[in-house]
Amino acid sequence: MKQIIIIGGGIGGLCTALALQQKGLTAQVYETVNEIKAVGAGIILAPNAMNVLARLGLADRAKALGMELEHLELTDAAGKKLMPVPNKEETIRDFGFAMIALLRSSLYDLLLKALPPNTVLTNKHFERYEENADGVTAHFTDGTQATGSVLIGADGVRSAVRRQLLPQVQLRYSGQTSYRGVANMALQGAQAHIAREAWGSPIRLGFVPIGFGQTYWYSTVQTPAGGTDVDKASAKRQLLAWAQEFDGISRAIIENTPDQSVIRTDMYDLPPLPTWHSGRVVLLGDAAHATTPNLGQGGCQAIEDAFVIADQLNRLSAQQAPQHAFAEYERIRKPKAELVVARSRQLGSMVHLRYGWQRALRNGLLRRIPASMGKKQSQDILALNF
Ligand SMILES: Cc1cc2nc3c(=O)[nH]c(=O)nc-3n(C[C@H](O)[C@H](O)[C@H](O)COP(=O)(O)OP(=O)(O)OC[C@H]3O[C@@H](n4cnc5c(N)ncnc54)[C@H](O)[C@@H]3O)c2cc1C
């Protein structure tokens, strides 16, 4: 196979380049920004992603860059548990790895360092592609072009590759915007290895120890799309005002966050797409199955995609067309990725309830969920099917 073109140097694009390169296939990543750096604060890598990183030889390094979490705890605003959650030992026993929390920038550094130099070309804004019997050509806004055997669209939730491949597809707004940041503050004692998410009103607030004296936090609030804050300092003030019902630690975490690290992102996802590929072009990661972050799985699913697409392209015989690999990739990955999108959307719709009685009813129901049901749901998502 000739050169493989990857549009987008995010988690999915970089992992795909790495997985292809480890199979002996050559890929070039084209990224719009002029310097690759992580957008977003921290990230949790669940065991499904860690198992793929292990196959790519990166799991130990990922672990060393972050924090192994004891468990993820879901509570009400007063800190009372809402659902039973497996602990670290159970997670390792069932899936081989614990949840690992780290800075997004550390994950990007890890992936970039593992790639051969010059794999990623920056300042390349993809505009459109053109196909013929021999290959596919990507056109960039600087007037340059690149030709390869196949083109992988890993250009995120607002994918330009998807716009050309499936122009009718529309993103769905979740009704919620998110705030994220990294506090210069370490959690102490029993909290030091536990990720906590508390559902209050009007916000949900989660925080995750990431080691090295820092804590990653996120928050969501129900609001129309497209809203803005005057500046990051006022966003932080607003969050602190909303966080009155949470404990002192939660507020201290926000207070100890440099204003500049606060990021606001409206949360969108995609409905199931009719297909992920056509001709020599295929979608991957958020471009194919953008999900709300309620399950913390968007990046993990992109990492799963990366391994499977590389594996399927590697298995192609000289006589087989790329569509054969794409169809297999879609068969293996689409049901699971879409299950994640659907479950995440469903979970998100339960978070921000308007009335106290609705929240009390929900909390009561969640507390009655049997541990066996939680286990089954984890199995669906955290186990690999390839
Ligand atoms: C609040 C929040 C919390 C989250 N937490 C988690 C978590 O804990 N765990 C987890 O697994 N996931 C999490 N996610 C989801 C995760 O961030 C995404 O699913 C993941 O980044 C998707 O990777 P990707 O490579 O598909 O897309 P992206 O990471 O968005 O990368 C796309 C890349 O394409 C580039 N690009 C875009 N357009 C073009 C163009 N025209 N030409 C060239 N390049 C282009 C972009 O600059 C970018 O670098 C979270 C998301 C949010 C919003």
Side-chain angles (χ1 to χ4, degrees):
M1 176 156 297
K2 282 191 301 190
Q3 182 84 335
I4 294 168
I5 297 171
I6 300 174
I7 306 296
I11 297 170
L14 296 179
C15 273
T16 305
L18 190 62
L20 286 165
Q21 180 247 327
Q22 292 193 354
K23 304 266 180 206
L25 298 169
T26 348
Q28 182 81 62
V29 179
Y30 298 88
E31 165 58 50
T32 183
V33 301
N34 54 17
E35 190 196 346
I36 298 249
K37 48 181 194 270
V39 177
I43 189 160
I44 298 178
L45 295 175
N48 53 323
M50 289 303 294
N51 273 298
V52 174
L53 291 181
R55 294 188 196 179
L56 299 177
L58 295 180
D60 288 343
R61 272 177 275 169
K63 257 161 77 172
L65 290 169
M67 171 77 85
E68 267 195 326
L69 299 175
E70 273 304 319
H71 59 258
L72 311 173
E73 195 167 277
L74 184 62
T75 71
D76 61 16
K80 219 171 136 211
K81 284 186 197 160
L82 289 178
M83 269 201 269
V85 283
N87 63 26
K88 179 172 138 186
E89 282 68 37
E90 285 171 317
T91 310
I92 294 176
R93 183 198 64 211
D94 294 345
F95 304 109
F97 286 94
M99 303 269 175
I100 307 291
L102 71 171
L103 283 173
R104 274 184 190 246
S105 53
S106 303
L107 178 61
Y108 273 58
D109 278 354
L110 175 70
L111 297 172
L112 282 169
K113 282 193 184 127
L115 285 166
N118 305 321
T119 303
V120 184
L121 293 183
T122 53
N123 260 326
K124 288 286 172 194
H125 188 76
F126 167 86
E127 204 171 32
R128 66 189 170 87
Y129 61 81
E130 236 170 16
E131 277 187 83
N132 61 33
D134 299 327
V136 52
T137 300
H139 294 263
F140 300 96
T141 47
D142 61 3
T144 58
Q145 304 170 4
T147 298
S149 318
V150 298
L151 183 147
I152 300 175
D155 50 343
V157 60
R158 297 184 186 280
S159 167
V161 178
R162 185 184 67 236
R163 250 195 329 271
Q164 181 170 350
L165 191 80
L166 299 166
Q168 73 281 15
V169 169
Q170 301 278 327
L171 285 169
R172 302 185 296 200
Y173 182 52
S174 65
Q176 297 169 18
T177 202
S178 66
Y179 290 90
R180 291 174 272 177
V182 175
N184 292 321
M185 176 180 155
L187 296 167
Q188 304 297 328
Q191 308 267 349
H193 298 270
I194 297 173
R196 263 178 61 190
E197 180 174 310
W199 289 4
S201 175
I203 61 169
R204 131 177 67 179
L205 181 62
F207 46 84
V208 186
I210 51 175
F212 309 100
Q214 293 183 305
T215 302
Y216 157 55
W217 59 265
Y218 55 89
S219 181
T220 64
V221 64
Q222 190 91 10
T223 187
T228 51
D229 301 294
V230 175
D231 55 27
K232 289 172 184 264
S234 61
K236 219 171 93 174
R237 276 197 301 277
Q238 176 65 76
L239 277 166
L240 281 167
W242 280 331
Q244 284 307 321
E245 66 178 327
F246 295 103
D247 62 16
I249 294 177
S250 310
R251 290 196 306 280
I253 286 170
I254 301 176
E255 271 158 8
N256 282 290
T257 301
D259 294 351
Q260 283 326 303
S261 107
V262 178
I263 302 165
R264 176 177 179 159
T265 317
D266 284 345
M267 300 187 337
Y268 288 86
D269 71 4
L270 277 171
L273 304 186
T275 177
W276 286 359
H277 66 97
S278 169
R280 295 178 173 274
V281 179
V282 66
L283 301 172
L284 180 145
D286 277 8
H289 47 75
T291 176
T292 50
N294 302 301
L295 293 175
Q297 271 287 327
C300 299
Q301 292 300 307
I303 292 172
E304 286 199 27
D305 289 349
F307 187 88
V308 175
I309 193 73
D311 192 37
Q312 292 303 325
L313 286 170
N314 185 46
R315 286 165 190 252
L316 270 188
S317 70
Q319 291 75 39
Q320 284 175 318
Q323 289 91 316
H324 183 79
F326 295 164
E328 274 304 285
Y329 155 70
E330 192 174 304
R331 186 186 63 75
I332 296 167
R333 290 290 307 130
K334 199 165 185 278
K336 180 171 175 185
E338 289 176 355
L339 176 76
V340 167
V341 176
R343 280 208 190 146
S344 181
R345 194 173 175 84
Q346 197 183 20
L347 185 64
S349 69
M350 298 189 332
V351 179
H352 297 290
L353 300 180
R354 184 155 177 202
Y355 300 109
W357 66 265
Q358 293 173 312
R359 295 193 290 277
L361 185 64
R362 173 202 64 198
N363 294 352
L365 289 172
L366 287 174
R367 287 193 182 105
R368 264 178 237 122
I369 291 180
S372 57
M373 190 170 149
K375 262 187 187 292
K376 160 81 181 77
Q377 301 223 336
S378 301
Q379 178 71 27
D380 294 342
I381 292 173
L382 301 185
L384 296 182
N385 63 337
F386 51 86

